[in-house]
C-alpha cells in the first residue's frame, strides 16, 4: 500500500534567520531618504557599502566588515557625485572596486583602499557619461571582466567597458517607459528587465534584440522586479490589479502563462528578490516590511515552495546580500543579509541546523569564484558561446567516460564472482 507524501522533503525546510548581537551591528548610519526602490546597500567578503544622506551631493559609506559598533559622524565617505546616489554594486571580480549611479546622470567606478577609507574619496577611477537623466540601476556582468550595465530614467540601457571607459552597446529603443530593474542571466549572455509599462523583457545586449517579452506580467501599477534563475527561468515580483503583492515564475520559452503564481499579502512596499543559485532559494524582502520570506524553487509543480518567514520588529529601508564566498561554512550559514534601519545596519544570518561539525558539501556545491571567465573584449566578440560549447563537449566526454568506467567495473565484478 502506497502512502502519499504529506510533507515535501527539503533540506532547507528548517532554515532559520537570526539577527546578530547589538555589538556586531553598524550603528549611527544616516541611511539615504531618496525615494527610489533601490536596495541602498551592497556587500562583499571585505566591505559593506551603504548609501547615506549627504548635503550638497551624493555619498555612500564603505566600511570594512570588521568595523562594527557606532560609526563616527566624521567617518570618510565616497563623495564624488554632485547628486544623490541611487544605486551601488560591488564588482564580482575585484572586492575593492565598486560602481555607483546617481541623479547627476553619471556612473562612477571607485577603487577602495585595501584597508578601507582613511579620508573622503572624491576621485573615481572612471567616470561614465552617456545618460541624459538620473541613473538608477547598476549591474556588473557576472562572468566578463570590466563589463558594467547601467540603466537610467531616460529609458536607456548602456553596456560599458570599464577598462577603456567606452560605451559598448546602447539599447535606447527597447523600453518605452521607466526601467525598474535589470538582471543578468547565469553566464551573462542575456539580461531580463522589468519596466513601468508592466512588461518583462529578455534581451540579448550584443545583438540589441528582444528575445522574449511578456506584457502585463503583473497587472498592478506599482513597481515590479524580474530576476534570472540559474536554469534560465525568470522569477518576478509585482502587484495584482487589486494591489495584492505577487510572485511568479516564468519559462522564457513560453511566456503566455506563468509556471506558478502566488499572492502574498496586500502591503504596498515593493518586493526585492534575492536569489541563491547554489541552493535555488529565493529570499523576498519588502521595502517597509519587517520580514524576509524565503521560497525554494524546484523542477516539479507547484515550483515555488514557501519555506518560512524571518520576522523582526523594525521595518527595513533597504537590504544587502553577502555573496557565497563571504559566508561561514563551519556554522552552516547559507545566506547573510544586511538590513538597513533608519539609523543602523543589522546583519541577519540564515542557517541550516546540522548536528555535525564537518563540512556539509550538500549545502555548498561549487559556487562562482572571483576570477572572471573572460575579458570584456572576448565577451563582446562572442567568445562566451565558444566557451559554453567547449564546456558542453567536455561534460559529454566526462559522462561518456563515466559510463564506460561503470560498465568496466560491472564486468570486473562479474569476473571476480566467477560469472565470466
Amino acid at each position: 500500500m502506497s502512502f502519499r507524501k504529506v510533507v515535501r522533503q527539503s533540506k532547507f525546510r528548517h532554515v532559520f534567520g537570526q539577527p546578530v548581537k547589538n555589538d556586531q551591528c553598524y550603528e549611527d548610519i544616516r541611511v539615504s531618504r531618496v525615494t527610489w526602490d533601490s536596495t541602498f546597500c551592497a556587500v562583499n567578503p571585505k566591505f559593506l557599502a551603504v548609501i547615506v544622506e549627504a548635503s550638497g551631493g551624493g555619498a555612500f559609506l564603505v566600511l570594512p566588515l570588521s568595523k562594527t559598533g557606532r560609526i563616527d559622524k566624521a567617518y570618510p565617505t565616497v563623495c564624488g557625485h554632485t547628486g544623490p546616489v541611487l544605486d551601488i554594486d560591488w564588482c564580482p571580480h575585484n572586492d575593492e572596486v565598486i560602481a555607483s549611479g546617481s541623479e547627476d546622470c553619471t556612473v562612477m567606478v571607485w577603487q577602495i583602499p585595501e584597508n578601507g577609507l582613511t579620508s573622503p574619496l572624491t576621485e573615481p577611477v572612471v567616470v561614465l557619461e552617456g545618460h541624459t537623466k538620473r541613473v538608477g540601476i547598476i549591474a556588473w556582468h557576472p562572468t566578463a571582466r570590466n563589463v558594467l550595465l547601467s540603466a537610467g530614467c531616460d529609458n536607456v540601457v548602456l553596456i560599458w567597458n570599464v577598462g577603456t571607459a567606452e560605451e559598448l552597446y546602447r539599447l535606447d529603443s527597447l523600453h518605452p517607459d521607466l526601467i525598474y530593474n535589470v538582471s543578468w542571466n547565469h553566464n551573462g549572455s542575456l539580461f531580463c528587465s522589468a519596466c513601468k509599462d508592466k512588461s518583462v523583457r529578455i534581451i540579448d545586449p550584443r545583438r540589441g534584440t528582444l528575445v522574449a517579452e511578456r506584457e502585463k506580467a503583473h497587472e498592478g501599477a506599482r513597481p515590479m522586479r524580474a530576476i534570472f534563475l540559474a536554469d534560465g527561468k525568470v522569477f518576478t515580483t509585482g502587484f495584482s490589479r487589486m494591489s495584492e503583492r505577487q510572485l511568479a515564475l516564468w519559462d522564457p520559452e513560453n511566456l503566455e502563462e506563468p509556471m506558478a503564481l502566488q499572492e502574498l499579502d496586500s502591503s504596498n512596499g515593493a518586493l526585492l528578490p534575492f536569489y541563491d543559485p547554489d541552493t535555488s532559494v529565493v529570499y523576498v524582502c519588502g521595502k517597509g516590511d519587517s520580514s524576509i520570506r524565503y521560497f525554494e524553487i524546484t523542477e516539479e509543480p507547484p515550483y515555488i515552495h514557501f519555506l518560512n518567514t524571518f520576522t523582526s520588529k523594525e521595518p527595513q529601508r533597504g537590504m544587502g546580500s553577502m555573496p557565497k564566498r563571504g559566508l561561514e561554512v563551519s556554522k552552516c550559514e547559507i545566506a547573510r543579509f544586511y538590513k538597513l534601519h533608519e539609523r543602523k545596519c543589522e546583519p541577519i544570518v540564515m542557517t541550516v541546523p546540522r548536528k555535525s561539525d564537518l563540512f556539509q558539501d550538500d549545502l555548498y556545491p561549487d559556487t562562482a569564484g572571483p576570477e572572471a571567465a573572460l575579458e570584456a573584449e572576448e565577451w563582446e566578440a562572442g567568445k562566451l558561446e565558444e566557451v559554453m560549447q567547449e564546456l558542453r563537449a567536455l561534460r559529454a566526454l566526462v559522462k561518456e567516460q563515466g559510463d564506460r568506467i561503470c560498465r568496466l567495473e560491472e564486468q570486473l565484478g562479474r569476473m571476480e564472482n566467477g560469472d565470466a
Side-chain angles (χ1 to χ4, degrees):
M1 185 178 179
S2 65
F3 289 94
R4 187 171 63 86
K5 284 183 182 175
V6 178
V7 178
R8 189 181 67 89
Q9 292 295 312
S10 170
K11 55 193 164 198
F12 305 112
R13 176 170 293 283
H14 301 292
V15 169
F16 68 96
Q18 198 167 21
V20 300
K21 292 175 181 171
N22 278 341
D23 61 352
Q24 292 176 282
C25 294
Y26 306 84
E27 303 275 355
D28 219 12
I29 296 173
R30 303 186 310 282
V31 178
S32 174
R33 295 176 181 274
V34 175
T35 53
W36 181 254
D37 282 323
S38 161
T39 58
F40 290 146
C41 180
V43 63
N44 69 19
K46 278 189 177 181
F47 297 108
L48 165 70
V50 180
I51 302 174
V52 293
E53 282 288 294
S55 54
F60 58 96
L61 202 57
V62 175
L63 301 169
L65 286 186
S66 58
K67 189 168 176 55
T68 53
R70 185 179 171 279
I71 307 302
D72 195 311
K73 282 188 173 63
Y75 195 86
T77 58
V78 180
C79 51
H81 283 287
T82 56
V85 177
L86 300 180
D87 198 17
I88 49 178
D89 194 27
W90 287 105
C91 176
H93 309 124
N94 186 336
D95 287 342
E96 288 155 19
V97 171
I98 188 168
S100 58
S102 164
E103 282 193 10
D104 64 10
C105 309
T106 65
V107 177
M108 293 185 181
V109 180
W110 310 84
Q111 176 82 38
I112 306 299
E114 190 177 346
N115 298 315
L117 298 177
T118 53
S119 60
L121 187 57
T122 57
E123 291 299 319
V125 181
V126 182
V127 179
L128 305 172
E129 297 177 323
H131 288 284
T132 56
K133 291 187 179 177
R134 59 184 184 163
V135 183
I137 297 165
I138 299 289
W140 288 95
H141 194 282
T143 56
R145 194 190 318 277
N146 287 338
V147 175
L148 179 68
L149 178 151
S150 65
C153 294
D154 50 7
N155 311 336
V156 174
V157 175
L158 296 178
I159 315 285
W160 305 90
N161 181 342
V162 173
T164 59
E166 288 178 318
E167 193 182 288
L168 294 179
Y169 303 103
R170 172 179 285 264
L171 308 172
D172 54 8
S173 59
L174 297 175
H175 297 92
D177 212 329
L178 182 69
I179 303 163
Y180 285 137
N181 91 301
V182 166
S183 168
W184 289 101
N185 70 350
H186 202 49
N187 62 22
S189 57
L190 306 169
F191 68 82
C192 67
S193 66
C195 182
K196 195 175 181 180
D197 67 353
K198 303 180 186 177
S199 289
V200 169
R201 295 174 174 83
I202 297 172
I203 294 164
D204 183 334
R206 288 174 294 187
R207 292 190 175 90
T209 55
L210 196 61
V211 176
E213 180 179 7
R214 164 67 194 191
E215 296 177 2
K216 293 191 178 176
H218 296 276
E219 296 198 344
R222 297 187 63 79
M224 62 182 193
R225 297 220 155 203
I227 56 170
F228 259 118
L229 305 185
D231 60 0
K233 305 280 193 306
V234 174
F235 181 87
T236 61
T237 63
F239 292 80
S240 71
R241 191 181 293 162
M242 306 301 291
S243 290
E244 290 186 308
R245 297 197 291 191
Q246 294 179 323
L247 313 174
L249 186 66
W250 305 85
D251 181 355
E253 301 293 322
N254 177 19
L255 291 173
E256 288 298 312
E257 290 293 327
M259 295 170 64
L261 180 68
Q262 287 190 17
E263 293 197 342
L264 289 187
D265 55 30
S266 53
S267 295
N268 59 5
L271 291 168
L272 308 176
F274 295 89
Y275 173 62
D276 179 359
D278 302 340
T279 58
S280 293
V281 175
V282 174
Y283 302 85
V284 179
C285 316
K287 275 224 160 179
D289 288 10
S290 55
S291 63
I292 302 172
R293 295 178 175 91
Y294 33 111
F295 302 82
E296 187 176 1
I297 312 295
T298 62
E299 298 285 320
E300 308 83 37
Y303 305 110
I304 303 174
H305 302 272
F306 173 72
L307 291 173
N308 212 333
T309 304
F310 165 80
T311 308
S312 56
K313 292 176 184 174
E314 297 288 323
Q316 54 232 12
R317 297 283 303 279
M319 193 74 76
S321 174
M322 174 66 79
K324 224 30 173 303
R325 296 181 290 119
L327 303 181
E328 289 193 46
V329 295
S330 60
K331 296 181 180 176
C332 295
E333 185 183 358
I334 62 163
R336 190 189 311 152
F337 294 99
Y338 287 74
K339 173 180 171 177
L340 298 184
H341 300 242
E342 201 163 323
R343 300 285 297 186
K344 76 170 182 177
C345 176
E346 175 187 40
I348 294 164
V349 175
M350 297 287 181
T351 310
V352 177
R354 293 279 170 96
K355 289 179 181 176
S356 172
D357 293 333
L358 300 174
F359 176 70
Q360 306 292 310
D361 54 2
D362 63 322
L363 298 181
Y364 302 105
D366 289 349
T367 193
E371 282 301 312
L374 59 169
E375 299 298 325
E377 294 76 15
E378 294 174 317
W379 177 74
E380 188 185 6
K383 190 172 179 184
L384 185 63
E385 274 66 28
E386 295 172 36
V387 173
M388 293 299 288
Q389 283 174 359
E390 196 176 328
L391 184 62
R392 281 194 285 270
L394 199 58
R395 280 178 177 158
L397 187 64
V398 169
K399 186 178 184 304
E400 187 183 321
Q401 295 297 338
D403 292 345
R404 190 176 172 207
I405 288 168
C406 287
R407 287 197 300 273
L408 288 171
E409 283 177 341
E410 284 174 11
Q411 189 178 346
L412 185 63
R414 287 197 302 272
M415 290 170 71
E416 286 174 345
N417 291 331
D419 294 344

